[in-house]
Amino acid sequence: MKPEQPPGPPDPSPIQFSPAPAVQPRATLLCLSHLRWDFVWQRPQQLMSRLATDYEVWFFEEPQFDERPEPYLEVREVAGGITVLVPWLPQDLGEQRIISLQRQLLDGWLAQHHQAPLLLWYFTPMGLRFTRHLVGQVVVFDCMDELAALRHAPPALAELERQLLERADVVFTGGLSLWESRRERHDNVHLMPGSVDIAHFAHARLVQAEPADQADIGRPRLGFFGVLDEQLDLVLLRELAMRRPLWQIILIGPVARIDPASLPRQPNLHYLGPRDYQTLPAYLSGWDVALMPFAINESTRYISPTQPLEYLAGGRPVVSTPIHDVVECYADSGVVSIAATPQAFIEAIGLALDLTRQPARLQALADRALQGMSWDSTCERIKEQIASLRHAL
């Protein structure tokens, strides 16, 4: 597919990379991400940490801004040999200057470090603004979310996604709804759903030492971990806390895109803040029921959350609002209950608490729902798709 040229004044000649030799060196995977590596551990981290066993992974984040007058590229190595690249730019720049400086910093890095075949992986279409001059062996669009529906989404995002769909060799979607909405827009779309590190979360099925900030919270405990943002149903949380004051509701995760003051405050609502991915099983082991209290709105229309799988791997029953992909995938599991109103949510939690008194049945239902759902298996299918495209060159 022929790359488009950016609008405006002509740029220097595009950077071209020679076709791979018959015996290919370890290829480089340049990942353009809207999420930061050190944010909540989710799809980008799960996939890139596994792909790093086969590729040299460069994880290019969105820019940060400070008072330094000159732009620079922060470079750091993280576990698994992944290189995280963060462009730092001066404050108060116009949009075109921001795009130009990101390209300049990335091109400088490529000129100094790039020798192997290049693969381009986009989690965000916004990355196309400063990379459309690059020519990679394979261009991947990993559509993990309906980004245009999120609060404060850039106006250009929808048009950039259209352009990226034209350029991409393959499109992966993180859930069923996204696959249904993209399959008519590209001829090589594959459902690669959010999965789970079963072994990691299975530690929650064992007796764990209580984290200090959870140890003194009473029971029963109802828990949620994830980003606290516009996708949460704050009215539902408030109603649940008020109607069942003896139920203790624990929420773990950073607050994003909403005012923290908008979060409901009740004595039985416990906001513990963000916690490291490695510690989540210890928190989960101390919960009785896991919650999916998502709002039903435009921002959640296409989400396919991974929490149900993580909760089930930890041996906990789940109660969720009627998110489309959760209903399609888990409504008949016997261990994930769907409830559309606060009263129905409360009743479903009561039934889930009853299920916890049948541990053998609970674990059997959870294990059945988990069959075939692991990040390892998803990543192997992704590698097969990429290898097939590279072989066809």
Side-chain angles (χ1 to χ4, degrees):
M1 298 183 184
K2 185 177 294 183
E4 304 168 12
Q5 292 299 317
D11 288 317
S13 299
I15 297 177
Q16 301 283 341
F17 298 100
S18 301
V23 178
Q24 298 182 6
R26 180 179 164 92
T28 297
L29 192 160
L30 174 62
C31 174
L32 291 307
S33 177
H34 60 296
L35 296 175
R36 303 201 180 280
W37 186 264
D38 292 333
F39 193 55
V40 175
W41 190 272
Q42 48 191 304
R43 184 182 182 93
Q45 294 88 341
Q46 294 283 9
L47 291 181
M48 292 301 120
S49 62
R50 287 167 171 79
L51 289 169
T53 62
D54 293 82
Y55 305 104
E56 183 77 19
V57 175
W58 296 340
F59 190 87
F60 198 91
E61 296 186 355
E62 291 189 333
Q64 301 221 59
F65 300 87
D66 65 13
E67 296 179 353
R68 302 188 196 190
E70 297 297 326
Y72 64 97
L73 191 65
E74 176 190 338
V75 180
R76 70 180 191 277
E77 299 292 325
V78 296
I82 293 171
T83 302
V84 175
L85 305 172
V86 186
W88 283 87
L89 308 181
Q91 297 176 348
D92 302 321
L93 297 176
E95 181 180 5
Q96 291 304 312
R97 185 60 175 157
I98 291 173
I99 295 170
S100 175
L101 287 177
Q102 287 181 92
R103 172 171 174 166
Q104 175 184 313
L105 291 171
L106 178 56
D107 285 356
W109 172 266
L110 289 170
Q112 292 184 16
H113 298 88
H114 183 73
Q115 294 179 345
L118 181 70
L119 313 180
L120 299 174
W121 184 297
Y122 292 86
F123 279 113
T124 171
M126 300 301 290
L128 188 62
R129 298 186 302 173
F130 57 92
T131 60
R132 66 175 78 229
H133 64 296
L134 300 180
V135 179
Q137 276 195 336
V138 177
V139 177
V140 177
F141 175 27
D142 191 342
C143 185
M144 65 171 283
D145 217 337
E146 188 66 63
L147 297 180
L150 297 179
R151 189 172 296 178
H152 310 309
L157 202 152
E159 170 59 19
L160 285 167
E161 179 175 333
R162 184 194 66 78
Q163 297 175 22
L164 181 55
L165 285 167
E166 290 182 356
R167 289 172 56 92
D169 298 302
V170 63
V171 178
F172 302 135
T173 68
L176 179 62
S177 294
L178 288 169
W179 177 79
E180 291 172 343
S181 69
R182 298 313 192 270
R183 60 180 172 173
E184 301 299 329
R185 299 172 61 188
H186 195 280
D187 60 5
N188 193 25
V189 182
H190 301 270
L191 174 59
M192 299 292 178
S195 303
V196 61
D197 185 340
I198 294 175
H200 177 64
F201 284 97
H203 290 296
R205 299 190 182 195
L206 308 174
V207 176
Q208 298 279 314
E210 281 275 18
D213 54 352
Q214 183 171 278
D216 294 333
I217 297 175
R219 289 183 181 272
R221 294 177 187 159
L222 320 174
F224 167 85
F225 51 65
V227 182
L228 311 185
D229 58 15
E230 74 271 26
Q231 296 182 340
L232 276 188
D233 188 335
L234 302 184
V235 173
L236 172 61
L237 285 174
R238 182 180 295 108
E239 287 292 312
L240 179 58
M242 292 179 61
R243 296 189 193 187
R244 291 295 184 272
L246 298 182
W247 289 358
Q248 305 303 313
I249 305 167
I250 298 169
L251 298 107
I252 293 175
V255 179
R257 299 190 299 274
I258 62 172
D259 184 351
S262 68
L263 295 171
R265 303 290 174 176
Q266 299 291 334
N268 56 334
L269 280 168
H270 308 273
Y271 298 99
L272 303 188
R275 291 294 178 268
D276 187 86
Y277 176 77
Q278 298 301 323
T279 69
L280 293 181
Y283 285 93
L284 181 58
S285 70
W287 299 352
D288 299 292
V289 175
L291 303 181
M292 298 284 295
F294 285 115
I296 305 301
N297 57 31
E298 276 301 304
S299 72
T300 60
R301 170 62 184 86
Y302 295 98
I303 66 171
S304 186
T306 58
Q307 287 101 327
L309 292 169
E310 293 165 347
Y311 296 154
L312 294 176
R316 297 300 177 268
V318 182
V319 177
S320 175
T321 51
I323 296 298
H324 177 271
D325 284 16
V326 177
V327 173
E328 290 294 315
C329 297
Y330 307 108
D332 297 328
S333 67
V335 72
V336 178
S337 300
I338 309 297
T341 67
Q343 185 56 41
F345 211 81
I346 289 170
E347 292 171 2
I349 290 171
L351 294 174
L353 289 170
D354 291 339
L355 184 57
T356 63
R357 290 186 274 274
Q358 306 172 61
R361 180 168 179 263
L362 170 58
Q363 304 309 328
L365 291 171
D367 290 343
R368 186 172 65 185
L370 287 167
Q371 288 181 3
M373 299 299 295
S374 74
W375 283 117
D376 288 340
S377 61
T378 296
C379 200
E380 285 304 313
R381 291 194 291 122
I382 284 174
K383 290 179 183 179
E384 290 172 3
Q385 289 293 326
I386 295 175
S388 175
L389 289 166
R390 297 185 72 197
H391 182 73
L393 293 174

